[in-house]
Amino acid sequence: MVSPTPLQAFSSLPKTAGRNETQSIAGERISGAQALIRSLEDLGVRDVFGIPGGAILPVYDAINDSTAFRFILTRHEQAAGHAAEGYAVATGRVGVCLVTSGPGATNVVTAIADANMDSVPLVVITGQVGVESIGTDAFQEADMVGITYPVVKHSYLVTKAQDIPRIMTEAVYIAQSGRPGPVVVDLTKTAQVEKMTYSWPQQMILPGYNPVEKAHGKVISDAAKLLVQSYRPVLYVGGGAVRSKAGAQIKTLADLTDAPIVTTLPARGIVPDSDPKVLGMLGMHGTVAANGAVQRSDLLVAIGARFDDRVTGKLDAFAPTARVIHIDIDPAEIGKNRQPDVPIVGDVSTVLDDLIPAVRAAQASHGKPVLKPWWEQINQWTEQYPTSYDESTDGSLAPQWVVEQLSAKAPDDTIWVAGVGQHQMWASQLVDFKGPHSWISSSGLGTMGFGLPAAIGASVGSARDFEGRKPVWLIDGDGSFQMTSEELATAFMDHTPIKIAILNNSVYGMVRQWQTLFYEKHYSQTNLHDGDQGKGGDPAGSAETTGSALPRATDTAMPVDVPDFVKLAEAYGCVGLRAFSQEEALAAIDKANAINDRPVLIDFRVWKDAMVWPMVAAGQSNDETTYRPGIKPLSSTADQAKEAVGKQAAGNQANQTNQAKA
């Protein structure tokens, strides 16, 4: 029997019309708006992000100096959602944002979709017009339940004040239980102003919603048997393992089985990069060692991962010789893209707690495979194809060098945040991650503009949980940063001393890279000209096409350094710095690390022709990993690798025979 989804289950609830009028509820008489604030306080919510508006004003009126949580006023609703996401990832708690109806609510849909893709626990409270106005196209009315249905874990439309404490209890529980995700509470103005009787705690009504945390014993034993029979195992670790706080268990399993660890983008740092078993990220911009290990593996243990297309490349060519163990709390992910040999539904931490002793027992009975040939091959890839890059040819900074220096000079407990684009990939490749929960970025949705508000949320979380001891560095691109740059005001006004590194190449870098590789260098609408003045910029006489016959800024006397990021930072009360040379860059980083009373922004002028390597073209097999132009180490050695695998299998059989004789 298949359990209904939460939405189906809630829809099947018996109607309770008139319950408030016929039941006697003991408690304090307050308004629905006051009940919402009280509910958040009683649920332990300590920080809320948002912007007021007409349809949510009763709730904002209920926020006062005695309110137990801190309210952070952002400058855009999308940013409020991303800030709540950054807060949630940094702290492990539910992020909460509070916005108005209509455009306020629709502005936050991007953040909701982002949280849904990355399994971030988020509760979004939106204002809604009065019950009598619903369906009349009233001013700033928008059907948020309908709009968010495809990108939300669950949505509520609240029409009665008495339901608010229960619904908020359920919303927070749903957001953080099972596979985490976003929950929308669309709060009508009727429910906000109506009187109700407040009582706490509340009993949840969630028929059919029973997330499975503990796996069945048989699949655990089946997985343990495969692990002791494997001579080329790989632990493929995804963001679900981060949400489950499973870093210690993954480290233990890797040490126990001697299996290498490869991660998806959101799982970077779950085991420190200093661990020799960590091969880095796999997939489109993964390391040669990570992609090679997966492609040649005989057992792939997918842990909280969903076989995303950016990871697998051509799906039917992904890990073609591997049996698969898939561990995930969401049964919908099991077999969605790759059919596993051993499907395990359950919370990653709980499953691994059971799997590790089962592997020990299996090893005691059957012995431990000899993986020396496997690691010799992996180490060969690692040594021959390390992460590397070219220096610029125009005197500007190499963006990869900047990231390396940022990492080298940052404290070990730094929280790293990135926007989306080339800078995101360089950060994931070159930052030396020291541990879990040190990396925040938009992965599944790839939302440009995510970085700045998420960094603010992470800084609020750091101040709350770690007394600000964990500094926050944002690595962003000039294109991504400009999508939410107004949040510099939020960063300054709320005393979040984030440090911002803009890798300013004056172009939409990742789009330009694709135009270079796949569109015959037709740079249509990717030149931003926001860093053209000064060293390393694209001269005004650039012959690159813009896709428009209209005059460009560079064709006139207009300034082309728009915006001037240093002046922009200063306009918002922040410290603005700029670096053209390596000496200036190192001095700027040191100065930024020394400032802890306000945000600091550094405009690093970097090479616009820098490329993210390695790369797998979209839709190709990961065997086609291009280490550098013209170098495809996995493709060119495919035949030799197959031959080596055959020889290794024969050797493994001989080892087993000798062990049996012994």
Side-chain angles (χ1 to χ4, degrees):
M1 178 180 177
V2 179
S3 299
T5 66
L7 187 64
Q8 291 168 337
F10 300 157
S11 299
S12 67
L13 284 174
K15 303 301 180 184
T16 57
R19 175 173 59 85
N20 294 337
E21 290 75 26
T22 59
Q23 280 190 331
S24 176
I25 302 174
E28 183 182 356
R29 293 289 291 178
I30 57 177
S31 70
Q34 292 170 318
L36 178 71
I37 302 304
R38 288 277 295 275
S39 298
L40 292 172
E41 292 173 331
D42 287 337
L43 285 163
V45 172
R46 306 177 74 183
D47 301 278
V48 176
F49 305 84
I51 301 177
I56 199 68
L57 270 183
V59 172
Y60 276 86
D61 188 56
I63 298 173
N64 51 47
D65 291 342
S66 63
T67 300
F69 58 78
R70 174 186 177 187
F71 185 84
I72 297 92
L73 176 65
T74 61
R75 298 305 186 266
H76 194 281
E77 290 87 359
Q78 179 183 345
H82 292 325
E85 286 186 90
Y87 179 90
V89 176
T91 65
R93 294 196 299 275
V94 174
V96 180
C97 60
L98 178 64
V99 301
T100 192
S101 66
T106 58
N107 279 346
V108 82
V109 171
T110 297
I112 294 169
D114 191 274
N116 188 59
M117 290 286 278
D118 287 352
S119 302
V120 176
L122 184 68
V123 172
V124 179
I125 305 162
T126 59
Q128 184 56 275
V129 299
V131 171
E132 71 286 349
S133 298
I134 291 177
T136 68
D137 291 333
F139 178 67
Q140 293 192 335
E141 179 190 359
D143 178 9
M144 279 302 289
V145 172
I147 289 170
T148 60
Y149 182 85
V151 294
V152 75
K153 192 173 180 183
H154 184 59
S155 296
Y156 289 94
L157 175 63
V158 186
T159 60
K160 293 185 177 181
Q162 195 62 55
D163 293 332
I164 290 173
R166 172 184 60 81
I167 285 175
M168 291 308 303
T169 302
E170 293 174 1
V172 169
Y173 174 72
I174 293 168
Q176 64 187 353
S177 60
R179 179 179 181 171
V183 177
V184 168
V185 179
D186 198 29
L187 191 60
T188 63
K189 205 162 186 179
T190 304
Q192 295 174 53
V193 300
E194 190 176 72
K195 290 294 184 180
M196 55 86 69
T197 303
Y198 188 83
S199 62
W200 196 266
Q202 289 284 312
Q203 181 178 358
M204 296 185 293
I205 306 173
L206 301 175
Y209 181 61
N210 299 296
V212 177
E213 293 194 358
K214 192 173 179 65
H216 296 295
K218 187 177 185 307
V219 291
I220 294 293
S221 61
D222 289 345
K225 289 176 183 176
L226 286 184
L227 278 163
V228 298
Q229 295 170 0
S230 169
Y231 289 89
R232 302 188 309 279
V234 173
L235 305 185
Y236 155 39
V237 182
V242 178
R243 300 291 177 266
S244 185
K245 301 179 177 65
Q249 291 95 327
I250 289 167
K251 163 70 173 166
T252 299
L253 183 63
D255 289 342
L256 180 64
T257 61
D258 206 22
I261 299 168
V262 302
T263 74
T264 63
L265 178 63
R268 295 290 290 118
I270 189 165
V271 175
D273 284 345
S274 59
D275 192 303
K277 289 188 173 63
V278 175
L279 306 185
M281 187 172 68
L282 80 160
M284 178 172 282
H285 293 295
T287 66
V288 171
N291 281 346
V294 170
Q295 290 300 99
R296 307 293 183 261
S297 65
D298 65 2
L299 178 65
L300 192 63
V301 186
I303 306 173
R306 57 189 180 88
F307 294 86
D308 173 73
D309 64 291
R310 284 296 190 263
V311 163
T312 66
K314 186 179 181 181
L315 184 60
D316 59 8
F318 180 68
T321 59
R323 291 176 291 183
V324 173
I325 299 168
H326 192 176
I327 304 168
D328 204 288
I329 198 166
D330 185 356
E333 291 296 341
I334 305 292
K336 184 179 78 175
N337 293 325
R338 174 73 176 258
Q339 191 63 40
D341 297 271
V342 180
I344 304 178
V345 178
D347 174 71
V348 167
S349 291
T350 304
V351 169
L352 294 181
D353 283 340
D354 292 337
L355 179 60
I356 288 167
V359 171
R360 288 197 178 103
Q363 288 176 343
S365 299
H366 304 290
K368 190 172 180 178
V370 178
L371 302 190
K372 183 179 178 181
W374 182 224
W375 274 103
E376 287 175 348
Q377 173 64 80
I378 291 170
N379 290 335
Q380 182 179 345
W381 284 321
T382 302
E383 292 165 8
Q384 290 184 357
Y385 305 105
T387 301
S388 62
Y389 56 88
D390 293 324
E391 295 296 335
S392 69
T393 59
D394 63 358
S396 59
L397 294 164
Q400 301 96 324
W401 178 87
V402 173
V403 174
E404 286 182 327
Q405 303 313 308
L406 290 168
S407 178
K409 288 178 171 290
D412 288 350
D413 55 0
T414 297
I415 298 173
W416 297 94
V417 185
V420 169
Q422 286 181 313
H423 62 276
Q424 177 189 33
M425 295 297 102
W426 290 320
S428 70
Q429 292 174 340
L430 295 165
V431 168
D432 183 14
F433 294 103
K434 308 293 186 181
H437 310 291
S438 60
W439 168 246
I440 302 171
S441 192
S442 171
S443 301
L445 198 64
T447 306
M448 291 178 69
F450 172 90
L452 178 56
I456 293 169
S459 183
V460 171
S462 174
R464 175 68 70 188
D465 286 4
F466 312 109
E467 297 180 352
R469 291 190 302 272
K470 290 189 174 184
V472 177
W473 262 105
L474 166 63
I475 299 176
D476 216 339
D478 49 317
S480 185
F481 180 79
Q482 288 185 73
M483 292 193 173
T484 50
S485 61
E486 78 286 339
E487 298 308 317
L488 285 173
T490 305
F492 176 78
M493 296 300 294
D494 278 272
H495 308 288
T496 54
I498 60 175
K499 306 170 197 310
I500 304 164
I502 297 180
L503 304 185
N504 183 0
N505 56 11
S506 191
V507 296
Y508 288 126
M510 188 61 81
V511 180
R512 189 179 193 277
Q513 176 165 332
W514 281 49
Q515 289 174 333
T516 300
L517 297 175
F518 310 120
Y519 293 90
E520 300 180 348
K521 298 184 179 181
H522 178 211
Y523 301 122
S524 176
Q525 309 303 338
T526 45
N527 288 323
L528 296 175
H529 302 294
D530 55 22
D532 284 351
Q533 286 185 345
K535 299 177 185 177
D538 180 23
S542 170
E544 295 182 351
T545 61
T546 65
S548 172
L550 296 175
R552 298 178 299 164
T554 50
D555 296 328
T556 71
M558 294 171 58
V560 293
D561 204 5
V562 178
D564 181 322
F565 288 109
V566 172
K567 290 181 179 178
L568 183 67
E570 293 171 347
Y572 282 110
C574 309
V575 176
L577 306 170
R578 181 174 288 120
F580 293 108
S581 67
Q582 291 189 356
E583 293 76 15
E584 291 172 346
L586 294 173
I589 295 170
D590 288 339
K591 185 172 182 178
N593 282 328
I595 296 173
N596 293 301
D597 63 346
R598 66 184 60 206
V600 183
L601 181 153
I602 309 175
D603 176 13
F604 293 100
R605 295 298 175 84
V606 302
W607 187 30
K608 69 178 180 181
D609 287 322
M611 293 276 201
V612 181
W613 300 111
M615 182 177 181
V616 180
Q620 288 191 354
S621 165
N622 285 353
D623 281 329
E624 299 301 315
T625 299
T626 301
Y627 174 63
R628 302 291 285 277
I631 304 175
K632 294 187 176 184
L634 303 179
S635 177
S636 62
T637 60
D639 293 336
Q640 297 94 315
K642 289 179 181 177
E643 182 180 348
V645 167
K647 291 180 179 179
Q648 182 178 320
N652 292 339
Q653 183 63 45
N655 287 335
Q656 285 182 316
T657 302
N658 293 334
Q659 287 179 357
K661 289 179 180 178

